[in-house]
């Protein structure tokens, strides 16, 4: 008996029909709609720094890219609360919480590589050979392998 795969279906059809995916897709669409409403009330400069994380039980949780923008938005919290409460979707809004979460796309810059001269590496290796502590010896041997800065 040979295996016959099911015919390919469009991703949008899968998202609309599979129950777990459908619920996830609906939640994502809801958050996207709330994000657009939020952005309509934010200053243009703040829009890229503030994102809706959740909206439940009268509490809107916003993720902010850094402490600077969180502080600025906290100063505007009352105004923003009143403006959002005027919208039908946020009629029951009671409070806004801000959480700082730096963007994940920006990773730390790669650390500077350590480069040792040949003589420095040889000295570290010679020192490692005279060490009895195995952890310290292994660390010095790893350090001695970083040759080539000169």
């Amino acid at each position: 008996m040979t295996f016959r795969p099911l015919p390919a279906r469009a991703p949008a059809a899968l998202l609309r029909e599979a129950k777990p995916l459908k619920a996830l897709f609906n939640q994502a669409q809801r958050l996207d709609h709330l994000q657009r409403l939020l952005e309509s009330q934010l200053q243009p400069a703040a829009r890229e720094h503030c994102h809706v994380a959740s909206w439940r039980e009268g509490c809107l949780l916003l993720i902010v890219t850094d402490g600077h923008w969180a502080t600025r938005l906290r100063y505007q919290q009352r105004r923003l609360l009143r403006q959002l409460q005027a919208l039908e979707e946020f009629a029951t809004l009671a409070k806004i919480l801000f959480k700082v979460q730096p963007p994940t796309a920006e990773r730390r810059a790669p650390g500077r590589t350590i480069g040792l001269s040949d003589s420095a590496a040889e000295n570290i290796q010679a020192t490692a050979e005279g060490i009895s502590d195995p952890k310290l010896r292994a660390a010095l041997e790893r350090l001695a392998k970083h040759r080539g800065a000169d």
Side-chain angles (χ1 to χ4, degrees), residues 33-134:
H33 176 67
L34 295 175
Q35 179 68 33
R36 281 186 269 122
L37 291 174
L38 172 69
E39 288 176 357
S40 72
Q41 303 303 317
L42 289 174
Q43 298 171 351
R47 291 177 185 158
E48 68 183 86
H49 300 283
C50 186
H51 304 282
V52 175
S54 69
W55 161 238
R56 46 183 106 105
E57 299 172 6
C59 182
L60 179 64
L61 176 61
L62 301 177
I63 300 296
V64 186
T65 58
D66 58 43
H68 165 76
W69 283 104
T71 300
R72 286 184 66 169
L73 289 167
R74 283 186 186 107
Y75 279 120
Q76 301 173 25
Q77 188 169 0
R78 284 187 184 151
R79 177 194 58 82
L80 185 59
L81 183 66
R82 282 193 313 272
Q83 288 176 326
L84 290 174
Q85 285 171 335
L87 301 172
E88 182 180 338
E89 288 83 350
F90 291 110
T92 60
L93 181 62
K95 66 180 175 177
I96 301 174
L97 296 176
F98 298 98
K99 298 289 180 185
V100 175
Q101 181 178 354
T104 56
E106 294 179 28
R107 296 283 179 203
R108 289 187 306 146
R112 123 185 134 87
T113 57
I114 300 172
L116 299 174
S117 66
D118 287 339
S119 64
E122 288 170 8
N123 285 334
I124 293 173
Q125 183 64 43
T127 303
E129 290 169 3
I131 301 294
S132 60
D133 181 12

